[in-house]
Amino acid sequence: MPERGPDPVPVTLHVNGERRAVDIEPRVSLLDALRERLGLTGAKKGCDQGTCGACTVFVDGRRVLGCLTLAIACEGHEVTTIEGLAREGRLDPMQEAFIAQDAFQCGYCTPGQIMSAVALLREGHASDDAEIKEWMSGNICRCAAYPNIRAAIRAVRDAGPDTAPGTGSGA
């Protein structure tokens, strides 16, 4: 890979199914590129140190912390944000479950929680509450809505394959 920077360089990102071009310094995080350059403010800047999970997004379907991922490293990969979960005007089943189970209070951590919850189910780590708690431990909720978050995850898990999260196939 040729050396680029330190001045702004053109970077092409594929975000939520769309090709987006930005000029950024190579040190810019994926979170900052999404929020400040592309106007996608769903992923939140919480701790900016990778400990709270508020900035969780998918890169090629795997959850990553946007604050610890360089945007330039995401060229050629598909980035999905909370804005990209809904399809054709329908919320993702996990988004619907968070609403139905009142799995948010202030809502600041909710996008990151939902992204991790979708990933958790895809990864097969939702057999019981203890496993859900362990695999969601990277997402901090200062309002302590954890019981409701686990209820939302269980609701989607128990709804069956017709409501697979991350596909926009909500009921």
Side-chain angles (χ1 to χ4, degrees):
M1 175 180 266
E3 186 173 311
R4 297 164 66 184
D7 296 324
V9 297
V11 173
T12 301
L13 298 172
H14 293 263
V15 182
N16 300 331
E18 294 183 25
R19 186 172 179 230
R20 308 284 300 267
V22 293
D23 289 332
I24 55 174
E25 295 176 14
R27 65 184 178 95
V28 170
S29 72
L30 178 59
L31 177 64
D32 287 343
L34 292 169
R35 290 183 57 82
E36 297 171 10
R37 304 307 199 294
L38 300 177
L40 296 168
T41 57
K44 302 296 189 244
K45 183 177 278 192
C47 65
D48 210 22
Q49 299 176 358
T51 59
C52 75
C55 62
T56 303
V57 297
F58 297 154
V59 174
D60 292 338
R62 297 183 62 199
R63 56 181 152 170
V64 301
L65 297 170
C67 72
L68 298 182
T69 303
L70 292 175
I72 198 168
C74 295
E75 280 191 306
H77 300 278
E78 181 62 36
V79 177
T80 306
T81 69
I82 190 74
E83 292 93 341
L85 281 186
R87 299 272 193 246
E88 300 174 6
R90 297 183 66 185
L91 293 177
D92 182 83
M94 191 63 72
Q95 292 171 308
E96 291 179 348
F98 265 64
I99 293 168
Q101 299 296 326
D102 194 22
F104 51 89
Q105 290 183 12
C106 80
Y108 194 83
C109 72
T110 304
Q113 297 277 0
I114 289 173
M115 297 301 283
S116 284
V118 168
L120 165 91
L121 287 178
R122 286 182 183 165
E123 296 162 359
H125 299 298
S127 63
D128 57 32
D129 275 8
E131 188 176 38
I132 292 170
K133 184 177 180 180
E134 174 66 23
W135 285 88
M136 290 294 291
S137 64
N139 291 79
I140 307 294
C141 173
R142 292 182 180 194
C143 302
Y146 299 114
N148 301 53
I149 292 168
R150 287 191 296 273
I153 294 169
R154 285 192 310 267
V156 176
R157 176 197 67 196
D158 296 343
D162 292 339
T163 58
T167 62
S169 61

